[in-house]
């Protein structure tokens, strides 16, 4: 799987994220502080990673900043992206299942190595629900993106 990764800071957990994704066999495209010379601002690097998902150049993305909040906000401004800030494996599983999230947002401050692995395990083990109500909610969110595109 092609995974776009961004971080506004070159923190140990961000480097571990890239290593862990590669060890799991994913192709990683790094942005922000993880890519020398790239714009490290959380808004810019999160947008870049999210756009790769929206444009089909990446299958999913993981965006990181100190709290994860700014990275998730920036990613969610990109039409077609459903970014979820996940601080635990249960939330990551639910984000994939109920929200069909395609971008994982993480806090550099709160995410330890063991917790990162648990979150990634849940994220990649999960998939979108086929439940009609869950699909209807995702479709509703997709329509919001379409409305935003049309308003431009």
């Amino acid at each position: 799987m092609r995974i776009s990764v961004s971080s506004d800071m070159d923190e140990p957990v961000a480097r571990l994220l890239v290593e862990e994704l590669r060890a799991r066999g994913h192709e990683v495209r790094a942005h922000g502080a993880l890519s020398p010379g790239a714009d490290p601002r959380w808004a810019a690097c999160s947008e870049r990673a999210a756009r790769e998902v929206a444009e089909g150049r990446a299958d999913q993305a993981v965006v990181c900043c100190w709290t994860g909040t700014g990275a998730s906000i920036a990613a969610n401004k990109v039409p077609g992206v459903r970014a979820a800030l996940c601080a635990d494996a249960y939330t990551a599983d639910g984000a994939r299942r109920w929200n069909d999230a395609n971008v994982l947002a993480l806090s550099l401050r709160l995410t330890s190595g063991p917790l990162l692995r648990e979150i990634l395990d849940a994220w990649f083990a999960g998939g979108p629900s086929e439940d009609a109500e869950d699909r209807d909610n995702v479709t509703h969110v997709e329509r919001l993106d379409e409305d935003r595109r049309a308003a431009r």
Side-chain angles (χ1 to χ4, degrees):
M1 188 178 300
R2 297 166 302 162
I3 311 286
S4 185
V5 176
S6 71
S7 180
D8 66 338
M9 300 165 65
D10 185 9
E11 290 288 313
V13 73
R15 289 190 301 275
L16 177 61
L17 169 63
V18 171
E19 292 170 18
E20 187 67 27
L21 290 171
R22 286 185 175 141
R24 292 171 184 236
H26 300 293
E27 176 188 328
V28 176
R29 295 177 54 117
H31 301 283
L34 301 173
S35 179
D39 189 341
R41 296 174 301 151
W42 58 262
C45 65
S46 297
E47 176 195 7
R48 183 169 300 262
R51 283 205 187 280
E52 288 192 346
V53 173
E55 294 169 0
R57 291 180 285 134
D59 300 301
Q60 295 182 2
V62 183
V63 296
C64 307
C65 68
W66 193 241
T67 65
T69 305
S72 67
I73 290 170
N76 274 315
K77 296 296 182 184
V78 177
V81 168
R82 291 175 303 282
L85 176 55
C86 298
D88 57 62
Y90 183 80
T91 305
D93 175 67
R96 290 287 298 131
R97 182 179 314 143
W98 300 310
N99 313 125
D100 194 8
N102 53 11
V103 174
L104 170 63
L106 296 173
S107 166
L108 296 170
R109 183 179 78 83
L110 295 177
T111 309
S112 66
L115 180 58
L116 172 67
R117 289 180 189 94
E118 289 176 12
I119 291 170
L120 292 176
D121 287 345
W123 182 265
F124 290 115
S129 168
E130 293 302 321
D131 178 80
E133 183 177 343
D134 295 335
R135 296 308 316 156
D136 185 54
N137 278 308
V138 172
T139 299
H140 185 92
V141 171
E142 290 170 341
R143 281 195 303 267
L144 294 173
D145 280 340
E146 290 168 13
D147 291 349
R148 203 163 61 185
R149 282 187 196 115
R152 290 184 177 162

